[in-house]
Amino acid sequence: MNDPNGLVWHAGRWHAFYQHNPGGPGWADMHWGHASSLDLCHWDHHPVALAPDPTLGMVFSGSAAQAEGRLAALFTHCVLQQHQVQSLAWSDDGGLTWRPEPGNPVLVEPDLPDFRDPKIAWHPPTGAWVMAVAAGQSIRLYRSPDLRQWTFASAFADGSDLPGAWECPDLFALPAPDGSRWWVMLVSVDQGGPSGGSGTWYRLGQFDGFTFDPLGPARWLSHGPDHYAGVTFSDAPGGRRVLLAWLRNWREARDLPHAGWRGAMTAPAELSLVPGEGGLRLRQTPVAELQALRGVGGAGDRFEPGGPFELHLTVGGPFRVEIGVVGGAVTLTGDGQTLRLDRSSAVPARHAATMAVPVEAPCAAGDLVVLVDHGSVEVFDAGGAHLAASLWRDLAGLVTVQGATARWWALG
Ligand code: FRU
């Protein structure tokens, strides 16, 4: 798998579609795979949801939402990896099977060779559907009364001077602690990320249904190397904003080892706004549902979880955590200003030049949540910093903590 696609809550289930090649471990012949969950923790796998169209091409990334009493998916068709157009499909059975809109494609821009990854949302104040689509180094916004006819509204290009193509936008509103309401634009860039390779930045601003006005700087959504193409679920109950991202970096994703599967998603994270130096930050927190996976645990600075685990750290100054993996250890250190993750003993030797380089995030001293799975480490800082990194050695032996108060749970 690569990108999460069509994330939507519908009839009590969280649906996660994803970029998927059913025919092999390499990127090719893209379909939408499909899984769904009642609790964001346990996922049921379903048959492939969308397959390439003989004329319009492969099924690239896109989104889904509840519309007209059923599910609608808006995604990119990519002909011969060149011409990219936006298409619509409908599902009457909760996302298992899909019927293409007869008028597909519903949006074509012949002069834009890179034009992909539509994210749709209903905008109540102006009574229209809004679509954000990546085009080169800009995000184009379109409006529609019915998801079939689209009118250009504006283009947003003032993001950064990073070299990569813009991909996988998202645009949604979040409340701040003081009650003010902000719009968040997420943009993934395939080069120039904070740990090299691909990465995702965000900007806060205002949106009137037509134009996104950024207020404040572009910031990285995650500083870890393996956090890309992240987007949020549509129609989540209670106004929740839950994000899934692809736990990989395009830099080496195509030729990493595989074992019957290749690629994974991050843990589902709830997004919120928190105050920080220089303005509000987007904060990721593991969704509360994950607490249902907690098994045995304890407090203390030496423990052997025997598998995936969750670690809470209360940090007052410099600290160091060592997580045993087969043949070595992954270390997480912090000094009140910088978080640093060194996974050099847990990456494939042939990728040591890039993957063994420690990754860093600017971070005020605070409380941290660390999620460690068989193939990944994610670090969530209370002030908004985040690191996600994949691992290629399984967990083994002790976890030791110095300079922080630790509480842990085995996850299973
Ligand atoms: C991002 C991306 C998208 C595209 C998809 C193709 O990782 O390049 O822009 O739709 O992957 O698989």
Side-chain angles (χ1 to χ4, degrees):
M1 62 164 67
N2 52 289
D3 314 355
N5 294 152
L7 303 182
V8 64
W9 185 92
H10 174 67
R13 296 192 79 89
W14 302 87
H15 290 268
F17 302 88
Y18 51 90
Q19 287 289 280
H20 175 53
N21 172 12
W27 186 96
D29 194 28
M30 298 319 284
H31 292 57
W32 273 24
H34 183 199
S36 74
S37 172
L38 289 169
D39 62 2
L40 291 165
C41 298
H42 305 90
W43 291 86
D44 298 318
H45 287 279
H46 303 301
V48 161
L50 291 173
D53 178 277
T55 314
L56 297 173
M58 292 189 281
V59 187
F60 271 19
S61 288
S63 52
Q66 306 186 93
E68 302 179 10
R70 47 195 173 149
L71 277 178
L74 215 313
F75 55 91
T76 301
H77 266 133
C78 181
V79 187
L80 297 174
Q81 297 190 43
Q82 280 162 10
H83 188 212
Q84 301 177 349
V85 298
Q86 316 316 320
S87 289
L88 174 63
W90 298 95
S91 175
D92 291 307
D93 59 5
L96 289 176
T97 59
W98 292 83
R99 215 165 16 82
E101 171 71 21
N104 275 342
V106 292
L107 179 59
V108 177
E109 292 280 14
D111 297 334
L112 298 176
D114 285 310
F115 183 50
R116 58 180 180 266
D117 311 338
K119 174 75 192 230
I120 50 167
W122 178 251
H123 186 253
T126 58
W129 289 97
V130 175
M131 185 205 294
V133 200
Q137 293 189 323
S138 72
I139 302 299
R140 293 170 71 87
L141 300 176
Y142 295 81
R143 291 168 55 85
S144 171
D146 59 3
L147 296 170
R148 297 170 181 88
Q149 297 164 46
W150 291 94
T151 310
F152 175 71
S154 66
F156 169 72
D158 170 27
S160 66
D161 47 15
L162 298 175
W166 293 19
E167 302 183 317
C168 300
D170 200 348
L171 180 61
F172 51 88
L174 274 185
D178 68 1
S180 58
R181 192 173 132 96
W182 294 80
W183 284 81
V184 182
M185 170 83 82
L186 299 184
V187 178
S188 287
V189 287
D190 72 352
Q191 292 172 49
S195 298
S198 36
T200 300
W201 53 257
Y202 68 90
R203 290 191 85 166
L204 305 183
Q206 293 304 334
F207 176 60
D208 61 2
F210 294 82
T211 306
F212 175 73
D213 286 319
L215 298 161
R219 298 186 200 277
W220 294 111
L221 178 60
S222 173
H223 280 77
D226 295 316
H227 194 276
Y228 195 60
V231 285
T232 62
F233 282 86
S234 305
D235 303 326
R240 297 177 69 184
R241 268 297 146 193
V242 178
L243 178 107
L244 281 189
W246 180 42
L247 220 165
R248 281 298 177 277
N249 191 314
W250 273 124
R251 186 181 50 192
E252 57 271 315
R254 290 179 183 82
D255 62 344
L256 281 167
H258 56 87
W261 61 277
R262 186 196 250 165
M265 295 298 170
T266 54
E270 193 104 31
L271 299 182
S272 59
L273 293 176
V274 290
E277 204 178 304
L280 292 167
R281 305 291 161 104
L282 200 51
R283 175 186 176 187
Q284 300 190 48
T285 313
V287 294
E289 285 91 334
L290 288 172
Q291 293 169 17
L293 298 178
R294 289 179 185 169
V296 294
D301 51 15
R302 282 170 77 82
F303 58 95
E304 200 159 349
F309 65 97
E310 174 175 353
L311 174 63
H312 289 203
L313 297 172
T314 309
V315 179
F319 74 93
R320 177 183 182 87
V321 178
E322 280 197 23
I323 301 161
V325 295
V326 174
V330 172
T331 57
L332 174 67
T333 50
D335 58 9
Q337 290 189 319
T338 305
L339 273 179
R340 192 165 198 261
L341 185 75
D342 185 336
R343 58 169 174 172
S344 46
S345 58
V347 298
R350 73 170 186 274
H351 292 292
T354 52
M355 293 179 76
V357 176
V359 295
E360 294 191 345
C363 158
D367 294 346
L368 298 174
V369 176
V370 185
L371 293 180
V372 183
D373 205 344
H374 289 287
S376 62
V377 176
E378 283 190 70
V379 184
F380 302 82
D381 148 67
H386 181 267
L387 289 172
S390 47
L391 306 179
W392 260 262
R393 303 276 181 280
D394 208 351
L395 308 172
L398 279 179
V399 178
T400 58
V401 178
Q402 291 168 273
T405 308
R407 173 150 186 79
W408 66 275
W409 295 265
L411 295 178

